[in-house]
């Protein structure tokens, strides 16, 4: 399999796709004295930009991510760069895998973005990354990840699309967040594996097992020409992650080739586990044989996290086992989100 691990952004895209760059470097790409002043990269350069149907670059305040389709194997290769210094129109970025540094300059040509480096310039247009599944293989040889989250209590089913909930609001969320660009922040370039259910305006209220809501892989994508990010999963809507519930335990089984960003996940990747429940207007009816339910809650929002702040790493925990204190919720009272233990392993 062809593995694309190039340092520079234009060189990465040119060499992998056989593209021809715009003729030479742009003398107007950044030649004013003001540009030498350290500053955040201009927000007009933020966003997801498309070079062709097979190449994208995502630029944010802290990081740069490229996605390139490998025509030989048909898989998508992601490359991550952490911005270590910048001016309004240039950035020095560090390759997350190799540690090497590169310096790129940026300029808008109408609505398009020109990226220049080492005498080469590529021009991108604003693009929507519709589907970024089918990643190339992991350098470390990791093929599968298993994550189990033990909660203080989980019921046999949950209520979804409740009439009291606002359309579009997240009702249930359980997952793990990976800081794969390793900048200590939740931002564009990261990836999450999670159960996530929104109130659906097209569906009526129903009871369903939590695992039946499905789990998926979500990429954090920079907003177009604005600070912040949005999250994106497979355009097909098909769940890419196996998830099951056994009493109070949720188990996620992940094929690491399902998403290109997972090639950057290993036992040294910063991560945190999270749970979230938005249950507006809790009912008072007690359900027999349930240890906990809305009749015990006074809050609308319930949330827990491990660790409580910042990130941890798998290699800090013997045998991948992590223990969390009982009743240490960030907010709310629901035992449904109270993390007790986490186990994470790679195969």
């Amino acid at each position: 399999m062809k593995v694309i691990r190039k340092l520079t952004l234009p060189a990465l895209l040119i060499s992998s796709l056989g593209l021809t760059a715009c003729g030479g470097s742009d003398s107007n790409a950044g030649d004013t004295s003001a540009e030498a002043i350290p500053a955040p990269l201009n927000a007009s350069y933020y966003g997801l930009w498309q070079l062709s149907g097979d190449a994208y670059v995502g630029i944010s305040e802290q990081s740069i991510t490229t996605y390139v389709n490998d025509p030989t194997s048909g898989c998508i290769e992601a490359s991550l760069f952490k911005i270590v210094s910048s001016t309004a129109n240039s950035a020095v970025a560090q390759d997350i895998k190799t540690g090497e540094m590169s310096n790129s300059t940026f300029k808008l040509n109408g609505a398009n973005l020109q990226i220049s480096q080492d005498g080469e310039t590529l021009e991108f247009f604003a693009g929507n990354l519709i589907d970024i599944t089918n990643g190339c293989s992991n350098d470390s040889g990791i093929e599968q990840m298993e994550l189990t989250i033990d909660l203080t209590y989980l019921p046999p089913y949950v209520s979804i699309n409740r009439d009291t909930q606002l359309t579009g609001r997240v009702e249930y969320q359980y997952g793990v967040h990976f800081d794969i660009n390793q900048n200590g922040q939740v931002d564009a370039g990261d990836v999450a594996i999670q159960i996530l259910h929104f109130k659906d305006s097209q569906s009526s209220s129903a009871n369903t097992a939590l695992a039946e809501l499905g789990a998926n892989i979500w990429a954090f994508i920079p907003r177009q020409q604005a600070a912040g990010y949005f999250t994106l999963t497979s355009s097909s809507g098909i769940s890419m992650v196996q998830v099951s519930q056994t009493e109070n335990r949720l188990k996620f089984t992940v094929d690491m080739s399902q998403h290109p960003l997972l090639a950057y996940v290993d036992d040294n990747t910063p991560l945190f586990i999270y749970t979230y429940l938005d249950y507006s207007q809790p009912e008072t009816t007690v359900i027999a044989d349930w240890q906990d339910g809305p009749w015990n809650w006074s809050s609308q929002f319930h949330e827990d996290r491990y660790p409580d702040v910042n990130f941890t790493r798998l290699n800090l925990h013997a045998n991948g086992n992590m223990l969390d204190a009982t009743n240490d919720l960030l907010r709310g009272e629901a035992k449904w989100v109270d993390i007790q233990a986490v186990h994470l392993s790679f195969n």
Side-chain angles (χ1 to χ4, degrees), residues 33 55 74 108 183 211 221 244 289 292 332:
S33 59
L108 289 178
N183 63 4
I221 306 296
S244 62
D289 300 324
D292 184 46

Side-chain angles (χ1 to χ4, degrees), residues 96-110:
I96 297 298
K97 282 287 186 183
T98 67
E100 296 177 271
M101 312 291 281
S102 61
N103 192 340
S104 300
T105 59
F106 304 86
K107 178 187 177 183
L108 289 178
N109 180 23

Side-chain angles (χ1 to χ4, degrees), residues 114-243:
Q114 293 181 344
I115 302 179
S116 300
Q117 185 185 337
D118 296 335
E120 304 287 359
T121 299
L122 293 178
E123 185 162 311
F124 299 75
F125 59 91
N128 294 316
L129 194 57
I130 298 175
D131 207 329
I132 47 177
T133 57
N134 188 29
C136 295
S137 63
N138 192 316
D139 287 350
S140 65
I142 296 173
E143 297 181 355
Q144 181 175 281
M145 181 183 78
E146 288 190 354
L147 167 70
T148 60
I149 306 175
D150 291 331
L151 290 305
T152 300
Y153 179 69
L154 278 179
Y157 62 85
V158 297
S159 297
I160 61 173
N161 300 318
R162 297 172 63 244
D163 292 339
T164 58
Q165 183 59 276
L166 297 176
T167 298
R169 293 284 288 272
V170 173
E171 294 185 302
Y172 301 93
Q173 189 174 21
Y174 295 80
V176 56
H177 183 102
F178 290 103
D179 177 28
I180 56 174
N181 56 29
Q182 299 191 31
N183 63 4
Q185 301 184 47
V186 174
D187 67 350
D190 289 355
V191 68
I193 297 166
Q194 61 184 357
I195 295 172
L196 180 64
H197 186 268
F198 296 90
K199 166 67 179 290
D200 185 353
S201 62
Q202 304 301 316
S203 302
S204 58
S205 179
N207 293 329
T208 184
L210 189 61
E212 291 179 1
L213 298 179
N216 230 321
I217 303 166
W218 292 77
F220 286 59
I221 306 296
R223 295 175 60 199
Q224 201 68 34
Q225 298 184 302
Y229 60 84
F230 66 96
T231 56
L232 180 70
T233 190
S234 170
S235 63
S236 67
I238 298 174
S239 296
M240 295 186 286
V241 176
Q242 296 179 33
V243 61

